[in-house]
Amino acid sequence: MLTLIKGGRVIDPGNLDSIMDILIEDGKIVEVGGQRSEVGSQSSKLKAQSSKLKVIDASGKIVTPGLIDMHVHFREPGHEYKETIKTGCMAAAFGGFTAVCTMPNTNPVNDNSQVTEYILKKAGLADLVRVYPVAAISPGLQGKGLCEYGDLKDAGAIAVSDDGNPVTDSQLMRRALEYAKGFDLLVISHCEDLDLAGCGAMNEGAVATRMGLAGIPNASESIAVMRDIALCELTGARLHIAHVSTTESVRAIRNAKKRGALVTAETAPHYFTLTEDAVEGYNTNAKMNPPLRSMQDREAVLEGLSDGTIDVIATDHAPHSSIEKDVEFDLAANGIIGLETSVSLSLKLVEKGVITIADLIAKMSTNPARILGLDFGIKKGKPADITIIDPDITYKVDAAGFQSLSRNTPFDGWDMKGRAVLTMVGGKVVFGR
Amino acid sequence: MQFAKKDILDMESLSVDEIALILDTAQQMKEISKRPVKKVPTLRGKTIVLFFYEPSTRTRTSFDIAAKRLSADSISISGSASSLIKGETLVDTARNLEAMNPDVIVMRHFRAGASHMLAKIVRTSIINAGDGMHAHPTQSLLDLMTVRENKGKISGLRVAIIGDISHSRVARSNIIGFIKMGADVVLAGPPTMIPKGIEILGASVTYSVNDAVCNADVVMMLRIQKERQNSFLFPTEREYAMVYGLTMQKMKHAKKDVLIMHPGPINRGVEIAPEVADGPYSIIIDQVTNGVAVRMALLYLTAGGARNVDAD
């Protein structure tokens, strides 16, 4: 079976950016070239097999290496009413993602190879996008010891993280970084000083004070960012900092990178799109951890994206049902879904001139691939994981029509411009509109 | 002026005219409580639910007496007796209450925004009797009434609010209420108890109780919750009383006609010395009396009683 993606603007950051055709055979990219080159109608192979050729017209669209969301929560096993691996994969495909990294805070926790294998088995049955399980740093996310990273890596774990339950013990965090280094396993850190965050429900500041909600100060994040950078430099291990939300964190990461620390960082669309004002009216769909911050912090995150301090845009897709969200603000669960709005929100950055389209694709595809050690790209011989984005299509977000089982998004009803229109994994179209 | 609000949720959402109407109505209501027969038929046939998730003696009793003086039927539900402990959500409890057609639900809850949430869901009028650290509008209204009664005005007065501003819904509602009615508000307390960004509400901040008391027309002390000692807000009650408590010594800096207020219940010898609480400038007990009048006014205005209370 041959597929030809024809006439799109092919962008593989630092590699390609021009109108090209891509020929795909047996799930792999077999030829990439300009329209006047061999890949066009001149190709002898095409002529010979033209009856079996499937042509995807990508003219006016952007063709990119498959997008990777390296921070999602699929709730299986344990909370399948919020999201299953299958519905999560459907949401990912719908949003233009060909691969996702699933966080370990399932029930049971993904802290042993059996759970990792279970997740991969379910992902295989869904047969949509690639699922790379992130295993726990410590058994039960309890921060008391090390999981079996060797066994976990063999089973298919791509990284370790105690996401949501940050490791408070600095000695354990040091050992985790050191031990993971032996398997070249990435450590992803959710940076939060739990004591300082206290019982806070939103960003500390005037809005929280007026609303009578306990605040979470910026320092509760940056203290942990600075500690983990210190441990990263101490151990020489690779560290990836999840969902950066504050000015001070961006600054600390920028300085660490200048010193040559092996640190990378991600932020989520809500941190560069919204501020704490979104909580107004006790909106639980604006409640997440870290919380939405001030205007100044949002600016700092934008700057971090623009100057390359922040390598990755990841959604922290966190499905919750009305059971967790239609309650008093203090009691509501943290997190929002993001897979199905991420591309559109990120494209706004390009429209505003914060980053270029090539930067955006780097942050949503090639950077996460590099950080995770995955081998993709628009190149002969690579798996045909490809996303096609229509940058001009306009639409209104309708959460009711989402593939995700959950509806907890603050972006319902937003006017958007640009979205993924086709998602191809290993040569197979898993989503197309 | 017609009162058009469905709910009384916080001081922010009340206009100056609405506040004035409530205070004027309360002043009329106060007279009823002085009659030998303290009851008018104004709200006969109306049902008031007193829905108190968080324990309260003063506020609940005040609302209950207010409802009964207007001949409404009042029903009390407490957090421990409600379906809450059986695992029902607040939203479900509210919908069930609404289905029984009460006219007003008076709600106290220990979480900020709880009454806002309820008001969005049910058609019944909601009166917020305190939600977490957020708002306590009926307290603010009775404080405004008490100050106006004693000073003849609110505008132009200097009001000092002293204590744990961070955790106080009374402070938040009074900052907004007094500033809205034209007063200047100064806040004082240890820096651990002054929340970030509070200046945005228009109040000034000092860490010196003497500075706050000096030139104040009204000094409002806030209750220190002893359990807060565990969150490192202050070292000991002894030191708190010495540095931030209102003592006779600190009263020397005050104006001769200063008013001393406290939303209660007071910790004698902690935030306020007994001599000050019981002294000639204290209007703490007047506040409680006016609490009934303000709540009668609010029930009357929201439950849509007869046009004229004096018509009986």
Side-chain angles (χ1 to χ4, degrees), chain B residues 57-235:
Chain B
T57 310
R58 187 185 339 260
T59 306
R60 179 153 75 171
T61 309
S62 183
F63 267 109
D64 205 2
I65 289 175
K68 290 188 162 79
R69 290 205 175 143
L70 294 171
S71 302
D73 297 310
S74 58
I75 292 97
S76 280
I77 305 166
S78 68
S80 55
S82 75
S83 314
L84 177 73
I85 51 166
K86 296 178 190 162
E88 192 177 53
T89 66
L90 179 59
V91 172
D92 285 327
T93 308
R95 289 204 176 114
N96 279 279
L97 286 176
E98 183 190 29
M100 298 181 220
N101 294 313
D103 297 280
V104 180
I105 297 174
V106 175
M107 182 164 91
R108 166 164 293 187
H109 197 288
F110 53 96
R111 304 228 183 254
S115 34
H116 285 70
M117 189 175 143
L118 221 63
K120 272 188 239 166
I121 295 163
V122 302
R123 294 181 309 276
T124 315
S125 287
I126 304 293
I127 297 179
N128 181 7
D131 63 322
M133 306 185 298
H134 174 236
H136 196 351
T138 68
Q139 178 72 41
S140 177
L141 289 163
L142 73 88
D143 288 341
L144 287 167
M145 178 185 178
T146 311
V147 169
R148 196 177 75 163
E149 247 183 13
N150 281 273
K151 293 284 187 187
K153 60 171 185 178
I154 295 162
S155 187
L157 297 179
R158 185 176 165 86
V159 179
I161 304 178
I162 300 171
D164 186 357
I165 311 294
S166 277
H167 297 92
S168 175
R169 55 189 171 218
V170 175
R172 278 175 181 73
S173 284
N174 269 329
I175 293 166
I176 295 164
F178 275 92
I179 289 175
K180 200 168 251 185
M181 300 311 281
D184 281 331
V185 175
V186 56
L187 308 173
T192 47
M193 292 178 169
I194 307 291
K196 223 177 174 180
I198 192 76
E199 301 84 0
I200 210 165
L201 298 180
S204 57
V205 173
T206 171
Y207 303 136
S208 157
V209 172
N210 281 341
D211 285 356
V213 169
C214 173
N215 297 322
D217 299 292
V218 177
V219 174
M220 188 180 297
M221 300 307 294
L222 299 175
R223 176 182 167 76
I224 285 303
Q225 285 162 292
K226 302 187 180 189
E227 62 273 19
R228 299 267 180 235
Q229 224 168 306
N230 301 330
S231 29
F232 319 125
L233 293 172
F234 62 100

Side-chain angles (χ1 to χ4, degrees), chain A residues 254-408:
Chain A
R254 184 180 292 129
N255 291 338
K257 284 186 163 187
K258 274 186 199 149
R259 294 193 301 270
L262 296 177
V263 61
T264 53
E266 74 190 31
T267 192
H270 38 279
Y271 299 116
F272 62 69
T273 307
L274 301 173
T275 66
E276 58 193 339
D277 290 338
V279 177
E280 206 65 59
Y282 301 95
N283 178 10
T284 58
N285 282 336
K287 186 181 180 191
M288 61 275 292
N289 187 19
L292 295 171
R293 302 284 188 182
S294 68
M295 189 78 86
Q296 186 211 334
D297 292 310
R298 192 182 70 168
E299 290 301 317
V301 167
L302 289 171
E303 215 179 300
L305 283 163
S306 160
D307 73 6
T309 301
I310 298 174
D311 310 86
V312 171
I313 295 171
T315 65
D316 196 2
H317 180 82
H320 290 296
S321 77
S322 62
I323 298 169
E324 291 81 27
K325 285 293 194 181
D326 287 358
V327 295
E328 298 88 319
F329 191 86
D330 277 332
L331 292 179
N334 285 311
I336 60 168
I337 52 173
L339 282 166
E340 292 169 78
T341 47
S342 182
V343 166
S344 302
L345 291 168
S346 301
L347 280 168
K348 287 182 193 284
L349 298 179
V350 178
E351 200 173 347
K352 285 187 202 140
V354 178
I355 55 173
T356 65
I357 183 75
D359 288 340
L360 180 137
I361 292 158
K363 289 177 199 302
M364 298 185 77
S365 173
T366 47
N367 288 354
R370 173 176 48 80
I371 292 165
L372 296 162
L374 299 172
D375 193 20
F376 292 111
I378 310 258
K379 212 173 189 178
K380 194 172 170 178
K382 303 277 187 203
D385 282 24
I386 290 169
T387 302
I388 302 180
I389 295 167
D390 182 341
D392 299 316
I393 191 170
T394 56
Y395 71 103
K396 199 182 267 295
V397 176
D398 176 22
F402 277 176
Q403 303 297 303
S404 171
L405 278 185
S406 291
R407 300 285 175 263
N408 53 314

